[in-house]
Short mmCIF file of all heavy atoms in Angstrom, two decimals:
data_model
loop_
_atom_site.label_atom_id
_atom_site.label_comp_id
_atom_site.label_asym_id
_atom_site.label_seq_id
_atom_site.Cartn_x
_atom_site.Cartn_y
_atom_site.Cartn_z
N THR A 22 47.19 34.64 258.46
CA THR A 22 47.67 35.54 259.53
C THR A 22 48.48 36.64 258.86
O THR A 22 49.23 36.39 257.91
CB THR A 22 48.51 34.82 260.58
OG1 THR A 22 49.71 34.30 259.98
CG2 THR A 22 47.73 33.69 261.22
N SER A 23 48.34 37.87 259.36
CA SER A 23 49.02 39.00 258.76
C SER A 23 49.23 40.11 259.77
O SER A 23 48.45 40.25 260.73
CB SER A 23 48.22 39.54 257.57
OG SER A 23 48.86 40.67 257.00
N ASP A 24 50.29 40.89 259.54
CA ASP A 24 50.53 42.08 260.37
C ASP A 24 50.05 43.36 259.68
O ASP A 24 50.41 44.46 260.09
CB ASP A 24 52.00 42.18 260.75
CG ASP A 24 52.93 42.32 259.54
OD1 ASP A 24 52.43 42.54 258.42
OD2 ASP A 24 54.16 42.20 259.71
N ALA A 25 49.21 43.20 258.64
CA ALA A 25 48.66 44.38 257.96
C ALA A 25 47.89 45.24 258.96
O ALA A 25 46.96 44.78 259.61
CB ALA A 25 47.75 43.95 256.82
N GLY A 26 48.32 46.48 259.12
CA GLY A 26 47.64 47.39 260.03
C GLY A 26 47.91 47.15 261.49
O GLY A 26 47.24 47.72 262.35
N SER A 27 48.88 46.30 261.82
CA SER A 27 49.14 45.96 263.22
C SER A 27 50.62 45.65 263.39
O SER A 27 51.31 45.29 262.43
CB SER A 27 48.31 44.75 263.63
OG SER A 27 48.70 44.26 264.90
N ASP A 28 51.11 45.79 264.61
CA ASP A 28 52.50 45.43 264.87
C ASP A 28 52.64 43.93 265.07
O ASP A 28 53.74 43.38 264.96
CB ASP A 28 53.03 46.17 266.10
CG ASP A 28 54.55 46.29 266.10
OD1 ASP A 28 55.12 46.55 265.02
OD2 ASP A 28 55.16 46.11 267.17
N PHE A 29 51.51 43.25 265.37
CA PHE A 29 51.52 41.81 265.59
C PHE A 29 50.61 41.13 264.58
O PHE A 29 49.64 41.71 264.09
CB PHE A 29 51.07 41.48 267.02
CG PHE A 29 52.08 41.86 268.07
CD1 PHE A 29 52.07 43.12 268.64
CD2 PHE A 29 53.05 40.96 268.48
CE1 PHE A 29 53.00 43.48 269.60
CE2 PHE A 29 53.98 41.30 269.44
CZ PHE A 29 53.96 42.57 270.00
N LYS A 30 50.90 39.87 264.29
CA LYS A 30 50.10 39.11 263.34
C LYS A 30 48.76 38.71 263.94
O LYS A 30 48.71 38.17 265.05
CB LYS A 30 50.85 37.85 262.89
CG LYS A 30 51.98 38.11 261.93
CD LYS A 30 52.53 36.79 261.40
CE LYS A 30 53.60 37.02 260.35
NZ LYS A 30 54.12 35.75 259.81
N GLN A 31 47.70 38.97 263.19
CA GLN A 31 46.36 38.56 263.58
C GLN A 31 45.82 37.55 262.57
O GLN A 31 46.30 37.46 261.44
CB GLN A 31 45.43 39.78 263.64
CG GLN A 31 45.85 40.85 264.62
CD GLN A 31 45.80 40.39 266.07
OE1 GLN A 31 45.05 39.48 266.41
NE2 GLN A 31 46.59 41.02 266.92
N LEU A 32 44.83 36.80 262.99
CA LEU A 32 44.12 35.90 262.10
C LEU A 32 42.97 36.65 261.46
O LEU A 32 42.23 37.38 262.14
CB LEU A 32 43.58 34.71 262.88
CG LEU A 32 42.65 33.75 262.14
CD1 LEU A 32 43.41 32.98 261.07
CD2 LEU A 32 41.97 32.80 263.11
N GLY A 33 42.81 36.49 260.15
CA GLY A 33 41.72 37.19 259.50
C GLY A 33 41.46 36.70 258.09
O GLY A 33 42.08 35.75 257.60
N ARG A 34 40.55 37.39 257.42
CA ARG A 34 40.16 37.06 256.04
C ARG A 34 40.91 37.97 255.06
O ARG A 34 41.07 39.16 255.31
CB ARG A 34 38.65 37.23 255.86
CG ARG A 34 37.80 36.33 256.74
CD ARG A 34 36.32 36.61 256.49
NE ARG A 34 35.44 35.75 257.28
CZ ARG A 34 34.99 36.04 258.50
NH1 ARG A 34 35.34 37.21 259.06
NH2 ARG A 34 34.20 35.21 259.14
N LEU A 35 41.31 37.38 253.94
CA LEU A 35 41.98 38.12 252.89
C LEU A 35 41.09 38.13 251.66
O LEU A 35 40.72 37.06 251.14
CB LEU A 35 43.33 37.48 252.56
CG LEU A 35 44.19 38.17 251.50
CD1 LEU A 35 44.61 39.56 251.95
CD2 LEU A 35 45.42 37.31 251.18
N ASP A 36 40.72 39.31 251.20
CA ASP A 36 39.86 39.44 250.03
C ASP A 36 40.70 39.25 248.77
O ASP A 36 41.59 40.07 248.49
CB ASP A 36 39.20 40.82 250.02
CG ASP A 36 38.15 40.97 248.93
OD1 ASP A 36 38.33 40.38 247.84
OD2 ASP A 36 37.15 41.69 249.15
N PRO A 37 40.45 38.20 247.97
CA PRO A 37 41.29 37.96 246.79
C PRO A 37 41.10 38.99 245.70
O PRO A 37 41.96 39.12 244.82
CB PRO A 37 40.83 36.57 246.32
CG PRO A 37 39.44 36.43 246.84
CD PRO A 37 39.40 37.18 248.14
N ALA A 38 40.02 39.73 245.73
CA ALA A 38 39.77 40.74 244.70
C ALA A 38 40.46 42.06 245.01
O ALA A 38 41.07 42.69 244.14
CB ALA A 38 38.27 40.96 244.54
N THR A 39 40.38 42.49 246.27
CA THR A 39 40.92 43.80 246.64
C THR A 39 42.25 43.71 247.38
O THR A 39 42.97 44.71 247.49
CB THR A 39 39.92 44.55 247.53
OG1 THR A 39 39.78 43.85 248.78
CG2 THR A 39 38.56 44.65 246.85
N GLY A 40 42.54 42.54 247.95
CA GLY A 40 43.75 42.40 248.76
C GLY A 40 43.60 42.95 250.16
O GLY A 40 44.57 42.96 250.93
N SER A 41 42.41 43.38 250.53
CA SER A 41 42.22 43.91 251.88
C SER A 41 42.18 42.78 252.90
O SER A 41 41.63 41.70 252.65
CB SER A 41 40.93 44.72 251.96
OG SER A 41 39.81 43.91 251.70
N PHE A 42 42.78 43.03 254.04
CA PHE A 42 42.84 42.06 255.13
C PHE A 42 41.93 42.53 256.25
O PHE A 42 42.05 43.66 256.73
CB PHE A 42 44.28 41.92 255.64
CG PHE A 42 44.41 41.04 256.86
CD1 PHE A 42 44.26 39.67 256.77
CD2 PHE A 42 44.70 41.60 258.10
CE1 PHE A 42 44.38 38.86 257.90
CE2 PHE A 42 44.83 40.81 259.23
CZ PHE A 42 44.67 39.43 259.13
N THR A 43 41.02 41.65 256.67
CA THR A 43 40.11 41.96 257.76
C THR A 43 40.43 41.08 258.95
O THR A 43 40.14 39.87 258.93
CB THR A 43 38.64 41.74 257.35
OG1 THR A 43 38.36 42.51 256.18
CG2 THR A 43 37.70 42.14 258.47
N PRO A 44 41.06 41.63 259.99
CA PRO A 44 41.40 40.78 261.14
C PRO A 44 40.16 40.32 261.88
O PRO A 44 39.18 41.06 262.00
CB PRO A 44 42.27 41.69 262.00
CG PRO A 44 41.89 43.08 261.61
CD PRO A 44 41.50 43.02 260.17
N VAL A 45 40.21 39.10 262.35
CA VAL A 45 39.13 38.54 263.17
C VAL A 45 39.59 38.39 264.61
O VAL A 45 38.84 38.64 265.54
CB VAL A 45 38.66 37.20 262.59
CG1 VAL A 45 37.66 36.52 263.52
CG2 VAL A 45 38.04 37.40 261.21
N SER A 46 40.83 37.97 264.80
CA SER A 46 41.36 37.88 266.16
C SER A 46 41.70 39.27 266.67
O SER A 46 41.94 40.20 265.89
CB SER A 46 42.60 36.98 266.20
OG SER A 46 43.66 37.56 265.47
N ARG A 47 41.75 39.40 267.98
CA ARG A 47 42.12 40.67 268.63
C ARG A 47 43.14 40.36 269.72
O ARG A 47 42.93 40.64 270.89
CB ARG A 47 40.88 41.36 269.22
CG ARG A 47 39.86 41.83 268.19
CD ARG A 47 40.36 43.00 267.37
NE ARG A 47 39.32 43.56 266.49
CZ ARG A 47 39.07 43.15 265.27
NH1 ARG A 47 39.77 42.13 264.78
NH2 ARG A 47 38.12 43.70 264.54
N GLU A 48 44.24 39.77 269.33
CA GLU A 48 45.25 39.34 270.28
C GLU A 48 46.31 40.42 270.47
O GLU A 48 46.58 41.21 269.57
CB GLU A 48 45.90 38.03 269.81
CG GLU A 48 44.92 36.89 269.54
CD GLU A 48 44.24 36.36 270.79
OE1 GLU A 48 44.73 36.65 271.90
OE2 GLU A 48 43.22 35.66 270.67
N ALA A 49 46.93 40.40 271.63
CA ALA A 49 47.99 41.36 271.93
C ALA A 49 49.36 40.84 271.50
O ALA A 49 50.36 41.56 271.61
CB ALA A 49 48.01 41.67 273.42
#
């Protein structure tokens, strides 16, 4: 879970090579 790119924490995938976070949840 991360707040990368959002004010709230979402569940998503973290790329170990690039560090990019891709949210999967779309919660408010």
Side-chain angles (χ1 to χ4, degrees):
T22 63
S23 178
D24 61 11
S27 170
D28 203 41
F29 289 89
K30 285 188 176 182
Q31 300 295 335
L32 172 69
R34 299 179 178 90
L35 182 63
D36 187 326
T39 66
S41 63
F42 174 72
T43 304
V45 173
S46 66
R47 294 290 187 272
E48 305 292 344

